[in-house]
Amino acid sequence: GENVEQHPSTLSVQEGDSAVIKCTYSDSASNYFPWYKQELGKGPQLIIDIRSNVGEKKDQRIAVTLNKTAKHFSLHITETQPEDSAVYFCAGVEETSGSRLTFGEGTQLTVNP
Amino acid sequence: GAGVSQSPRYKVTKRGQDVALRCDPISGHVSLYWYRQALGQGPEFLTYFNYEAQQDKSGLPNDRFSAERPEGSISTLTIQRTEQRDSAMYRCASSLNEINVLTFGAGSRLTVL
């Protein structure tokens, strides 16, 4: 089955700086990679996703890049704000397998004002 | 409803008791998923349904765990003869169809004494 590893486990940045979180996956058949943001006391919420037919996707201050050859993908947050502080999870799945997402262990991002 | 609703939010039980956790998905969502999330970890897949049919239960840890969704809407996750190792946050998610964005509920935190 799929195995997703995520680094770093904690990340602290100053407001306005960029933050990068990296994930690797093991199953070359995986073709859908979402990123979820989990705030304290809440469930994970999708913030961006990418499919294997593209290498990069952007949504305002958030971008995700995918390297299929190396089997890794990354989340980039620019101009970080204190409200970006949360736990971020990457995940991967082969979509026809029924959306059984395999999650990474999470990254606690802290943005210091 | 507007979101995925789970109840109870908190459940404390004694070892050996049975517990039932309820999930009310977003209206019209075909697919419903159960995940378990230990503290400091990413969500771990348990099982999922399309309508009332259980499509994949390979993530259920053992035969003390079962789930049902008899009318294709509300789902119940039942844990029989609870053990301390069952203590975790149990999260339900739903999606419009099988290959789509998951919306998570706030979770049910189970503590087994």
Side-chain angles (χ1 to χ4, degrees), chain A residues 78-95:
Chain A
T78 59
E79 301 173 22
T80 53
Q81 301 167 3
E83 51 265 39
D84 294 330
S85 297
V87 179
Y88 291 81
F89 293 100
C90 62
V93 68
E94 195 285 302
E95 282 191 299

Side-chain angles (χ1 to χ4, degrees), chain B residues 59-107:
Chain B
L60 296 177
N62 50 61
D63 60 8
R64 295 186 297 104
F65 287 73
S66 62
E68 62 174 10
R69 192 186 185 197
E71 297 180 358
S73 180
I74 292 169
S75 176
T76 302
L77 177 69
T78 301
I79 309 172
Q80 296 179 311
R81 306 180 302 281
T82 52
E83 301 178 4
Q84 286 185 327
R85 59 177 171 160
D86 299 334
S87 296
M89 177 71 81
Y90 289 83
R91 296 201 184 274
C92 176
S94 69
S95 65
L96 192 60
N97 54 44
E98 195 170 49
I99 304 177
N100 210 293
V101 173
L102 267 61
T103 301
F104 281 87

Side-chain angles (χ1 to χ4, degrees), chain A residues 32 36 38 41-44 46 49 51 89 95-101 103-106, chain B residues 9 33 35 37 40-43 45 48 56 58-59 91 98-102 104-106:
Chain A
Y32 174 63
Y36 283 81
Q38 186 171 349
K42 297 183 179 179
L46 180 78
D49 56 15
R51 288 182 167 81
F89 293 100
E95 282 191 299
T96 61
S97 74
S99 289
R100 176 181 170 159
L101 286 172
F103 284 84
E105 296 196 344
Chain B
R9 288 294 308 277
Y33 306 79
Y35 282 79
Q37 187 173 14
Q41 302 288 318
F45 172 83
Y48 92 96
D56 183 350
S58 61
R91 296 201 184 274
E98 195 170 49
I99 304 177
N100 210 293
V101 173
L102 267 61
F104 281 87

